[in-house]
């Protein structure tokens, strides 16, 4: 079932970045009086990444992609696909700033993709097609998002932010993406963000229901097209708006397929995939690929085993597909670096988090330098004449 030429096409390298700051759910619970068990067990979250005043989807994306470029160079990258639903401009692709910050070749195309949390999976599929057409080319797929809900709303506990950069090419070192894909689209208003709003609107219970319907729809299409049987998969990487959602989704899938949906079966399929999302929070387009990073970084040797991916984006579009883990992948992992980007975050108290949440740039075209809060390589230095000014340290 491997697709494409030679040894297949897929994810050759994967690196992620997250924010300067972190807010613990314990701090949120102390402020709003929620029983902490609701956060730790009920939604399965411990903390959320919070961007500094001088961080955004561009700085996160550049930080995620820089190690990939440092390892592989950029001479074969002819396409950059930037997937996000927290876009900073209605016209210019955020990836163009990243292209410039990282000094990528001018002989490249750069484009931004959007369909809620699903966008990066569309990017990955488009990348597979480009590489199939010319296997000497590589595609840099970046998923970068900041998840922001209204203060004091039920969604507040499911915020987060991160970016994942994936180098897609022929003869990949990590995961060979297989066909077929199971696809599902339904017009639902479970979660959306009109252009005039900085915070998403959501119907929480409807969104959970819509996600479960999409799981069912994708699986039906996937198996109808002759994909793997459920029991063949070593693990499942789900989109994780909060980690408990992956458990709900997998239980739903097991029940739909008439399989044992007991705790042990679910834990065996998902246990290794939630570690990063549990402490980062919802990173929208990046979330399913953070699940993959956590799986590869923590599981026993998965060489040659198929992994299932379920990518869901509200609104809604979803896709189920399989990837086969490439023998020798463990030598390519960035486990220590991934743990370090999580551990280096500085804890915020609730008042400082609230101040950052309420912060926005004036819209009058004046010059507004940002306070220096980040310590990483890339920062948003100012907004000046309606233009974002970025800096590489
Ligand atoms: P809520 O009203 O705050 O919480 O909404 P709840 O009352 O539904 O409780 C949550 C769980 O905690 C329940 O468990 C409670 O029983 C449990 P469940 O019944 O679901 O198994 N609980 C406790 N457990 C242990 N000890 C306790 C305790 N108290 C309660 N003391 C909700 C929760 C997730 C709806 C809310 O946070 C929200 O609206 N979040 C945003 C929407 C969202 O994440 N939806 C997920 C599906 S849609 C999606 O994934 C797409 C998305 O990423 C966007 C995109 O695609 O771009 C969001």
């Amino acid at each position: 079932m491997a697709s494409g030429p030679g040894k297949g096409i897929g994810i050759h390298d994967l690196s992620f970045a997250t924010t300067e700051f972190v807010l613990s759910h314990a701090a949120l619970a102390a402020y709003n009086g929620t029983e902490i068990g609701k956060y730790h067990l009920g939604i399965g979250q411990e903390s959320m990444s919070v961007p500094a005043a001088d961080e955004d989807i561009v700085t996160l994306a550049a930080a995620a992609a820089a190690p990939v470029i440092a390892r592989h160079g950029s001479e074969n990258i002819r396409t950059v696909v930037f997937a996000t639903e927290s876009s900073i401009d209605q016209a210019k692709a955020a990836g163009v700033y990243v292209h410039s910050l990282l000094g990528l070749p001018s002989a490249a195309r750069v484009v931004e993709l959007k369909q809620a949390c699903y966008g990066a999976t569309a990017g990955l599929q488009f990348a597979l097609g480009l590489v199939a057409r010319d296997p000497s080319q590589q595609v840099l797929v970046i998923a970068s998002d900041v998840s922001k809900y209204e203060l004091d709303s039920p969604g507040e506990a499911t915020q987060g932010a991160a970016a994942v950069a994936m180098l897609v090419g022929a003869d990949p070192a990590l995961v060979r993406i297989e066909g077929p894909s199971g696809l599902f689209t339904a017009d639902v208003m479970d979660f959306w963000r009109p252009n005039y709003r900085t915070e998403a609107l959501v119907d929480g219970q409807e969104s959970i229901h819509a996600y479960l319907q999409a799981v069912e729809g994708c699986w039906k299409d996937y198996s109808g097209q002759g994909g793997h049987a459920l029991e063949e998969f070593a693990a499942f990487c789900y989109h994780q708006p909060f980690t408990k959602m992956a458990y709900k989704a997998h239980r739903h899938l097991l029940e739909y397929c008439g399989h044992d949906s007991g705790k042990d079966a679910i834990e065996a399929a998902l246990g290794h995939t939630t570690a990063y999302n549990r402490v980062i929070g919802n990173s929208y387009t990046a979330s399913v690929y953070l699940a993959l990073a956590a799986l590869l970084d923590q599981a026993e040797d998965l060489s040659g085993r198929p992994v299932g991916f379920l990518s869901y984006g509200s609104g809604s579009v979803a896709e189920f597909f399989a990837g086969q883990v490439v023998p020798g992948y463990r030598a390519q992992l960035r486990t220590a670096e991934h743990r370090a980007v999580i551990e280096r975050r500085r804890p915020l108290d609730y008042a400082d988090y609230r101040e950052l949440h309420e912060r926005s740039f004036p819209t009058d075209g004046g010059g507004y330098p940002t306070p220096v809060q980040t310590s990483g390589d890339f920062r948003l230095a100012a907004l000046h004449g309606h233009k974002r000014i970025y800096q590489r340290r």
Side-chain angles (χ1 to χ4, degrees):
M1 241 186 299
S3 56
K7 296 178 177 166
I9 304 174
I11 303 169
H12 191 51
D13 194 5
L14 184 155
S15 154
F16 75 79
T18 189
T19 56
E20 183 73 22
F21 294 126
V22 59
L23 180 74
S24 71
H25 279 77
L28 179 62
Y31 165 79
N32 65 18
T34 297
E35 156 64 36
I36 192 66
K38 174 171 174 181
Y39 294 152
H40 287 175
L41 301 171
I43 59 169
Q45 291 303 123
E46 271 173 43
S47 57
M48 57 176 94
S49 285
V50 179
D54 52 345
E55 263 178 328
D56 68 3
I57 55 163
V58 168
T59 63
L60 290 173
V68 173
I69 304 303
R71 186 186 278 179
H72 303 279
S74 60
E75 54 279 7
N76 298 324
I77 299 176
R78 290 180 59 81
T79 305
V80 179
V81 179
F82 193 113
T84 187
E85 60 174 289
S86 31
S87 194
I88 50 163
D89 195 287
Q90 297 285 26
K92 180 166 174 151
V96 176
Y97 295 108
V98 176
H99 176 277
S100 157
L101 285 167
L102 298 180
L104 301 184
S106 59
R109 59 170 80 82
V110 181
V111 70
E112 188 167 308
L113 281 185
K114 177 183 69 185
Q115 174 26 56
C117 302
Y118 168 74
T121 298
L124 175 61
Q125 294 294 344
F126 297 167
L128 298 177
L130 286 168
V131 178
R133 206 168 72 162
D134 177 1
S136 69
Q137 296 186 17
Q138 295 175 320
V139 180
L140 181 63
V141 177
I142 304 176
S144 184
D145 266 308
V146 174
S147 161
K148 199 169 175 189
Y149 294 95
E150 277 178 6
L151 291 168
D152 306 320
S153 72
E156 184 181 17
T158 61
Q159 297 174 118
V164 171
M166 294 182 281
L167 189 64
V168 177
D171 192 12
L174 296 180
V175 178
R176 208 172 284 136
I177 304 299
E178 299 178 337
S181 274
L183 304 174
F184 182 80
T185 290
D187 182 5
V188 283
M189 290 305 283
D190 60 329
F191 166 106
W192 66 107
R193 184 169 68 81
N195 286 347
Y196 49 83
R197 287 183 61 97
T198 54
E199 290 136 354
L201 294 163
V202 65
D203 179 340
Q205 296 312 323
E206 171 63 17
S207 73
I208 292 172
H209 176 72
Y211 184 133
L212 297 180
Q213 289 305 111
V215 168
E216 216 176 289
C218 282
W219 180 260
K220 217 165 146 180
D221 187 45
Y222 178 74
S223 36
Q225 296 196 54
H228 289 285
L230 200 60
E231 56 276 16
E232 288 170 30
F233 288 100
F236 292 80
C237 295
Y238 282 88
H239 165 54
Q240 295 172 7
F242 49 95
T243 62
K244 182 84 172 288
M245 188 66 225
Y247 284 79
K248 283 179 190 290
H250 198 57
R251 184 177 309 112
H252 190 82
L253 181 60
L254 290 171
E255 284 169 3
Y256 177 73
C257 296
H259 283 238
D260 165 26
S261 61
K263 259 188 167 174
D264 293 349
I266 299 178
E267 194 56 36
L270 305 184
H272 291 302
T273 69
T274 56
Y276 296 151
N277 287 312
R278 189 174 170 84
V279 294
I280 286 175
N282 194 355
S283 57
Y284 291 158
T285 51
S287 150
V288 64
Y289 300 101
L290 284 180
L292 172 63
L295 175 70
L296 297 181
D297 284 348
Q298 297 183 106
E300 296 293 298
D301 191 0
L302 292 167
S303 294
R305 307 284 312 276
V307 170
F309 293 82
L310 188 286
S311 178
Y312 175 75
S314 283
S316 72
V317 177
E319 179 162 346
F320 185 94
F321 62 99
Q324 196 181 106
V325 181
V326 177
Y329 75 97
R330 289 179 123 183
Q332 309 296 321
L333 296 178
R334 300 176 178 278
T335 312
E337 294 91 326
H338 288 163
R339 290 188 178 144
V341 297
I342 288 174
E343 277 156 23
R344 69 178 280 281
R345 293 174 303 171
R346 292 186 282 144
L348 285 172
D349 63 25
Y350 186 82
D352 288 340
Y353 148 74
R354 208 171 167 97
E355 198 182 316
L356 276 169
H357 193 285
E358 284 174 338
R359 213 188 137 79
S360 65
F361 281 116
T363 55
D364 59 9
Y368 298 99
T370 50
V372 180
Q373 295 180 344
T374 48
S375 53
D377 289 346
F378 304 95
R379 64 180 296 268
L380 169 62
L383 183 74
H384 197 92
H386 298 295
K387 294 174 192 154
R388 288 189 176 234
I389 314 294
Y390 292 99
Q391 211 177 54
R392 181 169 193 164
R393 288 186 169 115

